[in-house]
Amino acid sequence: MKKALITGVTGQDGSYLSELLLSKNYKVIGIIRRSSYFNTYRIDHLLKNKNFKLLYGDVTDYKSIFSALKKYKPDEVYNLAAQSHVKVSFDMPEYTTNTNALGCLKILDSIKNLGLDCKFYQASTSELYGNSQVKFQDENTIFNPQSPYAVSKLYAFFSVKNFRDSYGTFATNGILFNHESPRRGDTFVTKKISSAAAKIKLGLLDKLIIGNLDSKRDWGYAPEYVYGMWKMLQMNKPNDYVLATGKSYSVRNFIEESFNYLGISIAWKGSGINEYAINIKNKKKIVSIDKKYFRPNDVNYLLGNPKKANKEIKWKSKTSFKKLVSIMTEYDYNYYKSKN
């Protein structure tokens, strides 16, 4: 039986990856921070599985990571732990760096010092590209990080390459473009939209307050992306791969699709910071903009080219943007309906 160690196990990706690996008969060891003890709702259904174990630790604490690796000697290590909110990284740059950059380094250094024969996956990000000047971003596109989050991930990205080249570590970067699901955190824009639309439909909220409507992202479905992570570590040689859909949509598009799924037709009025949307049926304002939700330095456009992953690891995104929005919106609608 293979063993896998996952940091960030309580997050969206950590929960889906745990399910995938357990279905493939892995023993899964999840590293959980003491402060996350009350935040296990995504993995509570796995706690009775005899092959799933939680272990207290933190990627910012070298000893806890070193001890976990020494004790379990995993075949695969997935580093999904991160301060992953871009806007928060401007408010907490030091914490973001300690977690995202040095956390990755500590795991790689532990693997090297223990002499472990294991494969390492680093959760990288499309935010590395910043405001790229090319239509599609791939593994050869120049990086241009625009936030403390992206800068910290850049350090981790090159740490992986350095250990791979210097010590022969099987270390892989997965440059994942935005991937969403009903398990997305409440502070992320897609979840904020889908949950607000559901509450408005149910009469539990008057309007959605949002930031940059025209920011465009390549949005995919998270369960498919964790499968891509696993595929990367099944290769004979380590490499870096972009996972993306190859299609880009704006925040505005996401809002329109979410409301439309619930049978609410909207119309946009005004312009700039004063733009808003009304419910065509009753003329009520249901979307407005607040500049406090804008980032100090925003990335306005990301669009991935997944051809390398398509060809080499046989991975391809299957869920359309419209289907993704419907999955999230339906889940939130049913959830809030059941609570009221």
Side-chain angles (χ1 to χ4, degrees):
M1 177 182 286
K2 281 188 174 183
K3 290 180 288 186
L5 186 143
I6 303 173
T7 69
V9 71
T10 60
Q12 169 190 259
D13 290 2
S15 64
Y16 284 124
L17 180 61
S18 295
E19 290 174 350
L20 173 67
L21 296 179
L22 289 169
S23 74
K24 294 184 178 296
N25 200 35
Y26 277 67
K27 180 177 180 62
V28 176
I29 301 99
I31 300 293
I32 180 173
R33 293 176 299 158
R34 185 72 181 177
S35 60
S36 296
Y37 179 75
F38 299 103
N39 187 36
T40 61
Y41 67 94
R42 295 183 182 94
I43 56 171
D44 282 343
H45 63 294
L46 302 176
L47 297 179
K48 292 183 179 180
N49 190 313
K50 65 179 182 179
N51 291 325
F52 184 72
K53 180 178 179 60
L54 291 181
L55 187 70
Y56 286 122
D58 194 316
V59 294
T60 63
D61 178 50
Y62 183 86
K63 184 178 179 180
S64 66
I65 295 301
F66 185 92
S67 297
L69 290 168
K70 183 178 181 180
K71 180 177 181 179
Y72 290 100
K73 297 178 175 59
D75 300 284
E76 299 169 6
V77 177
Y78 297 84
N79 182 32
L80 310 184
Q83 190 302 98
S84 57
H85 199 283
V86 176
K87 189 175 187 302
V88 170
S89 76
F90 286 97
D91 301 321
M92 304 176 68
E94 182 178 354
Y95 175 75
T96 299
T97 301
N98 285 338
T99 304
N100 299 359
L102 298 183
C104 173
L105 178 65
K106 289 171 183 176
I107 299 173
L108 287 167
D109 198 47
S110 295
I111 290 171
K112 176 180 74 71
N113 289 338
L114 287 165
L116 296 180
D117 181 20
C118 69
K119 297 180 177 182
F120 175 78
Y121 172 86
Q122 168 61 22
S124 197
T125 171
S126 58
E127 290 287 330
L128 293 176
Y129 298 117
N131 288 308
S132 178
Q133 300 302 306
V134 297
K135 181 178 180 181
F136 287 93
Q137 295 88 45
D138 63 19
E139 295 81 2
N140 298 313
T141 303
I142 295 172
F143 295 140
N144 183 27
Q146 298 292 306
S147 66
Y149 169 77
V151 171
S152 69
K153 284 291 191 175
L154 185 66
Y155 181 100
F157 179 90
F158 280 109
S159 292
V160 166
K161 289 181 70 69
N162 178 248
F163 273 74
R164 188 166 69 207
D165 296 340
S166 301
Y167 307 113
T169 307
F170 191 113
T172 291
N173 285 298
I175 309 172
L176 273 55
F177 280 65
N178 292 64
H179 47 289
E180 318 296 319
S181 77
R183 298 182 190 176
R184 195 52 144 153
D186 292 337
T187 60
F188 288 84
V189 66
T190 51
K191 185 66 170 179
K192 185 177 180 180
I193 293 168
S194 62
S195 61
K199 290 177 182 178
I200 290 169
K201 177 68 175 180
L202 292 165
L204 303 173
L205 186 71
D206 292 329
K207 64 180 178 180
L208 164 66
I209 303 175
I210 204 76
N212 186 356
L213 288 170
D214 296 314
S215 179
K216 299 185 73 173
R217 293 292 186 270
D218 185 324
W219 275 307
Y221 187 39
E224 296 173 355
Y225 283 58
V226 300
Y227 177 68
M229 297 176 189
W230 176 77
K231 288 282 285 184
M232 291 180 206
L233 294 197
Q234 308 318 302
M235 300 295 286
N236 292 325
K237 294 181 180 180
N239 211 324
D240 303 325
Y241 296 95
V242 163
L243 298 189
T245 70
K247 296 180 180 179
S248 189
Y249 297 89
S250 68
V251 172
R252 184 192 303 273
N253 296 147
F254 203 106
I255 292 171
E256 291 167 348
E257 285 289 350
S258 189
F259 278 111
N260 183 63
Y261 180 78
L262 295 171
I264 302 173
S265 297
I266 66 174
W268 297 99
K269 304 288 184 179
S271 61
I273 195 70
N274 297 313
E275 189 173 9
Y276 61 94
I278 62 167
N279 182 335
I280 292 177
K281 185 176 181 180
N282 59 23
K283 309 304 180 185
K284 289 184 178 181
K285 183 188 293 187
I286 56 174
V287 181
S288 63
I289 296 174
D290 190 325
K291 63 181 180 180
K292 75 178 182 180
Y293 293 114
F294 282 75
R295 300 173 184 173
N297 191 14
D298 209 352
V299 174
N300 293 312
Y301 171 84
L302 289 170
L303 177 59
N305 179 356
K307 287 185 178 179
K308 182 179 177 182
N310 296 164
K311 181 179 179 180
E312 295 188 10
I313 65 172
K314 311 302 180 187
W315 178 90
K316 188 174 184 179
S317 172
K318 298 178 181 178
T319 303
S320 69
F321 173 72
K322 186 173 184 176
K323 180 64 176 177
L324 169 66
V325 178
S326 71
I327 289 171
M328 295 182 66
T329 306
E330 181 178 11
Y331 175 89
D332 285 332
Y333 178 80
N334 290 333
Y335 174 80
Y336 290 111
K337 185 178 180 181
S338 71
K339 295 293 183 180
N340 293 276

